[in-house]
Amino acid sequence: MNLFDHDLRRVAQLAAPLDDPRMNVSANRRLVAAGDEHQIVVLDHDGAVRWRSRWDRLGGRAGTDFHLDGDHILWIRLADTEELVAVHGASGAEIHRTPLPGPEAAWFLHSPVGVWTGMTLLDPYQSRAMLIRLDAERIVSRPLAGGDLAGFSPAGGRYLTQTLDGFLSVRDVASDAVITARHLEDLPGTPSRVEGCRHVDRAVFLSEELILTAINTEDLPDDAEGHLLLSALSLRCRSQVRYPHHHGAGAVHPSYQPGRWLTGHHEDDQLRLWQLGARLDDEPMPGQLALL
């Protein structure tokens, strides 16, 4: 198991702490949590095991979703008991748990300001997005509007949502007020080759001004690229991202550094880190920083 920094430089190589190679992993600046069908293990960056627990001891089962936040709190969504549990990441001691009914799968998102953690309970028909945090060692939550939570702006003051049927919105974190909202079919400036697309695979903030949107490639012609740069203030299409090699797009992931993003593609099994250049146009992007 490899641990990389934000420049995709390997900073540690850890022995896999689980027997099943199919595992979920979450990490912060101090700890790494890994979970498979049977248990969860938390390690230091030097590979020393802090603690481990079977899921059934916590009330969960295979497929339980979890997230380590910047304050070393391990958030665990137990689908079986429909609960949210907060655990001390370093010790494994349970802090608090609270009922959390709704869809089974959970998606956690890092918040740049560190006060809240973002979470969406994923379901095509009844997704629920919220902010979660601890207050006096009690879990508190705040619902968010607009659909699935897709990301936060680098300064943390805005959040981005998307829906399965193609709506995007940018909202104020403090008030939930809509800054801009549009359907994918109605984005001004969209290139003609991708007009009429209705589904967004992923959308992430690249900077305070720009959002990167990955369109579902099933909607596109075979030779069309599926990534668009949008204005974060109006959702106007600023540019179509064209990568310098075939199948360079793939799944999009935030890098948590302004102007950067990660792509991964199952066909070439590679992870790439990209840097937004100073020029914003339709020329091939020269910003690949690392290729593993």
Side-chain angles (χ1 to χ4, degrees), residues 29-48:
R29 64 182 180 275
R30 178 180 163 194
L31 302 171
V32 178
D36 63 8
E37 290 189 353
H38 308 291
Q39 62 179 316
I40 184 168
V41 183
V42 175
L43 310 91
D44 289 323
H45 283 192
D46 61 6

Side-chain angles (χ1 to χ4, degrees), residues 162-164 166 168 184 198-203 213-216:
Q162 63 185 75
T163 65
L164 185 66
L168 297 170
L184 187 62
R198 296 185 55 84
H199 302 290
V200 175
D201 281 342
R202 187 74 195 276
T213 302
I215 299 171
N216 190 314

Side-chain angles (χ1 to χ4, degrees), residues 9-175:
R9 296 174 301 201
R10 189 168 64 189
V11 297
Q13 189 171 23
L14 312 177
L18 304 167
D19 295 330
D20 192 338
R22 296 169 299 179
M23 65 180 75
N24 293 325
V25 178
S26 179
N28 60 20
R29 64 182 180 275
R30 178 180 163 194
L31 302 171
V32 178
D36 63 8
E37 290 189 353
H38 308 291
Q39 62 179 316
I40 184 168
V41 183
V42 175
L43 310 91
D44 289 323
H45 283 192
D46 61 6
V49 174
R50 286 296 191 102
W51 59 274
R52 67 173 67 220
S53 174
R54 291 186 60 86
W55 287 121
D56 53 14
R57 291 180 57 191
L58 292 167
R61 61 171 176 81
T64 299
D65 295 305
F66 58 88
H67 172 74
L68 269 171
D69 72 13
D71 293 322
H72 315 303
I73 302 301
L74 179 66
W75 296 97
I76 303 174
R77 158 66 175 172
L78 299 177
D80 287 359
T81 59
E82 292 195 319
E83 293 177 302
L84 179 66
V85 182
V87 174
H88 280 293
S91 69
E94 183 175 321
I95 303 170
H96 186 230
R97 67 174 62 203
T98 188
L100 186 63
E104 179 175 317
W107 170 265
F108 294 92
L109 281 172
H110 166 79
S111 173
V113 295
V115 177
W116 296 92
T117 292
M119 184 179 70
T120 297
L121 298 180
L122 296 169
D123 186 277
Y125 306 104
Q126 51 177 333
S127 294
R128 293 173 52 201
M130 65 194 74
L131 299 176
I132 56 175
R133 65 180 175 89
L134 286 176
D135 183 5
E137 298 200 332
R138 306 285 292 183
I139 297 173
V140 295
S141 63
R142 200 193 94 195
L144 296 176
D148 295 343
L149 180 61
F152 296 93
S153 63
R158 292 170 291 163
Y159 67 92
L160 174 66
T161 67
Q162 63 185 75
T163 65
L164 185 66
D165 54 355
F167 282 95
L168 297 170
S169 70
V170 179
R171 297 169 184 261
D172 182 79
V173 169
S175 66

